[in-house]
Amino acid sequence: LPSTIRIVEKISSPALIMGDPTQIHQVVMNLCTNAYHAMCEKGGNLEVGLAEVLLNEPFHTTLGELRPGRYLQLGVRDTGDGIEPGFIHRIFDPYFTTKQKTKGTGLGLAVVHGVVKSHRGAIQVSSRLGEGATFDVYFPIVAETAGRTAGPRETTPAGGFERILFVDDEP
């Protein structure tokens, strides 16, 4: 990111979720990349936070409803141009973009939506033109049992159903 964009970190929860680290990384990267694109010309603040929230009743979000319970809220907030009110309901559609053709494909937020849904989470989006946008992603917290594992677990890989595509440009 250019030096005109200041990153502010607000991590206030050590809670755990059950998730695929690569997919969660993709969510964070896609949200931060969108924030960067919104601020690349003028600069601004990119705030990334984690907080634990307790929902006592069903909570309606931009994409779906969450049941009562404990959630880890990943917040990504920027001070960019904001999102046009008429576009907010379309931003998670595949290939929808307001960027120039060389700046984006319109797949980043669609991927975010898919990952969040597959982790039984939801997204809340708010924005005001000229004031930036906020994406709050909610993932269900898992109860920590015997403690965190020190390393990767040894598991037997599933087998018998794979297909391999081998491509080689050598004769």
Side-chain angles (χ1 to χ4, degrees), residues 76-94:
V76 177
R77 180 173 292 116
D78 68 67
T79 57
D81 295 330
I83 303 168
E84 291 273 350
F87 293 152
I88 281 209
H89 70 284
R90 296 192 56 208
I91 61 174
F92 294 102
D93 293 349

Side-chain angles (χ1 to χ4, degrees), residues 11-17 50 52 70 72 141-153:
I11 310 295
S12 65
S13 176
L16 300 175
I17 66 167
L50 278 177
E52 188 173 330
R70 294 173 52 220
L72 188 62
I141 292 176
V142 296
E144 193 168 355
T145 54
R148 299 178 192 218
T149 58
R153 291 185 216 156

